[in-house]
Amino acid sequence: MTTQALPPVVDTETWEQRLRTLRAREKAATRELDAIAAERRRLPMVEMPDYVLEGEDGHVRLADVFGGKRQLITYHHMWFPGEEWQCRGCTGFTSQYTRLEFLDSYDARFVVVTQGPIDEALAYKRRVGNRMTWYSTAGSSFGADVGAPPGGGFAVNVFLRDGDTVYRTWHTDGRGTEQLSHTFALIDLLPYGRQEEWQDSPEGWPQSPTYSRWPASKDIAAAYGPESQGAT
């Protein structure tokens, strides 16, 4: 018999009634998210300068980062100069995206942008087994102008291209990025949830310091990097 705190045990009818009550709230939240997405589609946009970033094949205009698509999502990966292991939150977040081809049907692309020099950024990408396309904004004010300056935090931006003219349509940072992640969605289904101190949990539930259960970037590299796949 475990000594760890457990949810109360009830009969099936009581459990189903509590579940129906919770699902009513979940459905209401889903409808609210639909309404938010509808409002997002009605946002105005702002025209962007003709930025030049750097990719694996050299310098590239922001309009060409779209790869021929009309819509672009950029994840702005935190970067700490000279560090072997970059932000574990960013490393873990972007490690989720191994298949992005489904965006082709929506005329869209999703890439990583970082303040790190392109050679260092690509080396880090390989080290941790990242599958996304990376660009550097080290020689451009692009990152700083869209909420991801040198030494700053992570962010997500969305752009729309009309010919060679690029417009910024949406931005978020902090916990606003959680809706783009499947990890938290899965963890939040669990009886004990994220097990972090800030969460509202019943008395006796296991709780740890915030971020303490997140994998380190080194652990992500061990799981997804070249060495884990038998590469040399």
Side-chain angles (χ1 to χ4, degrees):
M1 180 71 69
T2 179
T3 58
Q4 191 173 41
L6 298 170
V9 179
V10 297
D11 60 83
T12 300
E13 183 178 356
T14 300
W15 179 81
E16 289 179 345
Q17 177 57 48
R18 289 287 298 274
L19 179 61
R20 283 194 296 270
T21 300
L22 177 61
R23 291 197 67 200
R25 294 183 63 187
E26 291 174 342
K27 295 295 185 182
T30 298
R31 290 191 290 271
E32 175 61 13
L33 288 173
D34 287 342
I36 290 171
E39 180 64 21
R40 188 181 295 119
R41 290 190 293 273
R42 288 166 173 79
L43 281 175
M45 59 187 184
V46 61
E47 184 175 344
M48 304 297 289
D50 189 17
Y51 294 104
V52 175
L53 282 63
E54 193 168 4
E56 190 165 2
D57 297 322
H59 291 93
V60 56
R61 297 173 59 205
L62 178 59
D64 294 326
V65 174
F66 285 71
K69 305 293 191 285
R70 292 204 64 202
Q71 302 170 103
L72 175 70
I73 303 169
T74 58
Y75 181 82
H76 299 261
H77 196 297
M78 295 173 66
W79 191 265
F80 302 97
E83 294 293 330
E84 179 182 8
W85 301 108
Q86 297 297 328
C87 168
R88 63 176 173 175
C90 293
T91 303
F93 181 87
T94 56
S95 72
Q96 300 173 61
Y97 300 102
T98 59
R99 294 182 176 90
L100 290 166
E101 291 82 6
F102 70 92
L103 287 173
D104 292 344
S105 298
Y106 296 88
D107 203 11
R109 192 184 190 203
F110 187 11
V111 303
V112 172
V113 176
T114 186
Q115 293 283 356
I118 190 61
D119 290 346
E120 294 181 21
L122 292 176
Y124 186 72
K125 169 191 171 178
R126 290 188 291 270
R127 188 180 312 134
V128 299
N130 192 280
R131 302 288 293 278
M132 299 178 72
T133 302
W134 283 50
Y135 293 90
S136 170
T137 187
S140 165
S141 65
F142 173 66
D145 293 345
V146 295
F154 58 91
V156 174
N157 282 281
V158 181
F159 304 92
L160 179 66
R161 180 179 63 83
D162 184 20
D164 284 339
T165 304
V166 175
Y167 301 91
R168 187 185 185 197
T169 65
W170 188 74
H171 165 265
T172 194
D173 54 19
R175 293 192 64 199
T177 62
E178 286 187 8
Q179 64 181 298
L180 309 179
S181 165
H182 71 255
T183 55
F184 291 127
L186 291 175
I187 295 169
D188 285 342
L189 295 177
L190 301 174
Y192 294 131
R194 304 185 197 184
Q195 303 178 45
E196 296 192 352
E197 291 174 334
W198 63 270
Q199 287 199 294
D200 180 2
S201 295
E203 184 70 27
W205 250 228
Q207 289 185 299
S208 307
T210 303
Y211 311 130
S212 63
R213 293 179 181 271
W214 292 22
S217 297
K218 186 175 182 179
D219 296 330
I220 295 169
Y224 302 117
E227 292 183 4
S228 71
Q229 302 165 23
T232 57

